[in-house]
């Protein structure tokens, strides 16, 4: 690493130069190839002029052309390598971390800098396979964050996974959230609530008030009788429950 051009915490735009790597060897090779290519092009042009007039041998013309084409390809390859020595921001965002220092080796596969864009974030959840038929794209979702108790958002399912994970029998449910104030951070814990069942005919009551006897489940319903409120035992058919 020859030069680090940015500092941690700085906002950068896409294409901003972040880090320059030592490219002296490539530059020397580039100068050598350019010099050889200039001669190769001169020889080729003269051989071509003679060959167009049917002077000289075809082999000499083909050798000159091959040498020129080979050096042109080599030049493009070296220019691409030189461009790779200039590490630029692939996206706009914040430089969050630069673990390397000037003078250290830049090893392929090793992180040079962490660049984060927080304008939009994804929330991922692994949901039990048993809910696969009930959760679809665009279903309503309520999401909250323990780190921000006051933040509760209503959104929809962005997408669902197409593979069931064999190790825990779950599938992916993903949300996509706008994060303009950049409060939400990568790897935060989120709590998602999704409606997997709806019935217009059902009455929702606290499960603690439902009792059982030999005839089945019942609860007490308050009715107005002769100006008084009277509780009557009423048998009910129970359905789904949730916590």
């Amino acid at each position: 690493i020859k030069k680090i051009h940015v500092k941690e915490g700085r906002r950068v735009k896409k294409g901003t130069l972040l880090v320059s790597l030592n490219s002296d060897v490539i530059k020397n090779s580039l100068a050598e190839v350019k010099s050889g290519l200039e001669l190769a092009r001169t020889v080729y042009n003269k051989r071509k002029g003679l060959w167009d007039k049917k002077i000289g041998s075809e082999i000499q013309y083909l050798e000159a052309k091959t040498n020129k084409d080979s050096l042109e390809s080599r030049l493009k390859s070296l220019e691409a390598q030189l461009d790779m020595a200039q590490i630029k921001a692939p996206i706009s965002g914040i430089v969050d971390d630069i673990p390397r220092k000037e003078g250290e080796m830049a090893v392929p596969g090793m992180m040079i800098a962490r660049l984060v864009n927080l304008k939009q974030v994804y929330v991922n959840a692994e949901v039990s396979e048993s809910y696969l038929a009930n959760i679809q794209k665009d279903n309503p979702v309520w999401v909250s964050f323990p780190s921000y108790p006051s933040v509760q958002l209503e959104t929809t399912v962005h997408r669902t996974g197409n593979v069931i994970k064999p190790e825990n029998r779950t599938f992916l449910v993903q949300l996509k959230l706008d994060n303009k104030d950049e409060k939400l951070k990568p790897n935060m814990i989120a709590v998602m609530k999704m409606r997997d069942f709806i019935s217009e005919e059902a009455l929702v009551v606290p499960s603690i008030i439902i009792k059982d006897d030999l005839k089945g489940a019942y609860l007490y319903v308050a009715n107005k009788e002769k100006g008084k409120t009277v509780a009557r035992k009423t048998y009910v058919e129970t359905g789904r429950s949730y916590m």
Side-chain angles (χ1 to χ4, degrees):
I1 299 175
K2 188 174 182 179
K3 178 69 174 178
I4 297 176
H5 300 276
V6 294
K7 294 183 179 180
E8 295 173 348
R10 176 182 166 184
R11 291 183 179 272
V12 297
K13 294 183 178 180
K14 181 178 180 180
T16 300
L17 181 61
L18 304 178
V19 177
S20 296
L21 305 181
N22 190 322
S23 56
D24 292 344
V25 175
I26 299 176
K27 289 179 179 178
N28 291 337
S29 299
L30 200 60
E32 182 180 347
V33 170
K34 285 181 177 179
S35 178
L37 180 58
E38 185 178 352
L39 175 61
R41 283 173 175 168
T42 300
V43 172
Y44 166 73
N45 290 331
K46 289 186 176 182
R47 294 290 185 187
K48 185 177 184 303
L50 292 174
W51 179 245
D52 290 341
K53 296 177 181 179
K54 303 301 181 183
I55 302 174
S57 68
E58 183 180 6
I59 293 298
Q60 290 177 324
Y61 163 70
L62 293 176
E63 286 178 345
K65 184 177 185 301
T66 300
N67 186 40
K68 179 187 74 73
D69 292 344
S70 176
L71 287 173
E72 287 177 343
S73 297
R74 175 64 175 161
L75 181 63
K76 291 181 180 179
S77 177
L78 288 172
E79 287 175 340
Q81 291 181 38
L82 184 62
D83 185 63
M84 291 172 62
Q86 305 295 309
I87 301 176
K88 300 177 181 179
I91 59 173
S92 298
I94 303 171
V95 180
D96 188 63
D97 185 24
I98 304 176
R100 307 265 70 83
K101 297 179 181 179
E102 293 180 3
E104 293 184 349
M105 293 294 293
V107 181
M110 181 180 293
M111 184 176 73
I112 293 292
R114 180 188 292 121
L115 185 61
V116 183
N117 188 319
L118 299 176
K119 296 302 180 183
Q120 284 189 326
V121 295
Y122 293 93
V123 181
N124 296 329
E126 294 182 358
V127 180
S128 172
E129 177 186 8
S130 60
Y131 294 100
L132 185 61
N134 305 106
I135 299 176
Q136 307 293 334
K137 181 181 178 181
D138 297 327
N139 280 11
V141 182
W142 294 264
V143 58
S144 59
F145 304 89
S147 300
Y148 298 113
S150 62
V151 177
Q152 295 192 10
L153 305 174
E154 183 176 349
T155 183
T156 58
V157 175
H158 175 61
R159 75 179 185 92
T160 58
N162 297 305
V163 176
I164 302 298
K165 296 183 179 180
E167 59 270 18
N168 56 11
R169 309 306 304 174
T170 63
F171 67 100
L172 173 70
V173 175
Q174 187 178 78
L175 314 180
K176 186 177 181 180
L177 303 177
D178 288 329
N179 187 30
K180 294 181 180 179
D181 55 4
E182 299 185 350
K183 278 188 175 182
L184 307 180
K185 310 297 183 183
N187 301 320
M188 279 182 62
I189 295 176
V191 178
M192 296 163 60
K193 292 183 179 181
M194 293 171 279
R195 185 171 60 195
D196 65 311
F197 173 77
I198 185 171
S199 174
E200 298 294 342
E201 300 177 353
L203 177 67
V204 180
V205 298
S207 59
I208 195 172
I209 71 172
I210 300 176
K211 310 298 181 183
D212 289 284
D213 62 12
L214 294 177
K215 290 185 179 181
Y218 68 91
L219 49 75
Y220 287 96
V221 178
N223 294 317
K224 286 286 186 179
E225 296 182 5
K226 296 180 181 180
K228 296 182 179 180
T229 302
V230 180
R232 296 294 183 185
K233 185 178 182 180
T234 304
Y235 286 93
V236 295
E237 180 181 348
T238 58
R240 297 191 180 193
S241 63
Y242 71 97
M243 299 296 292

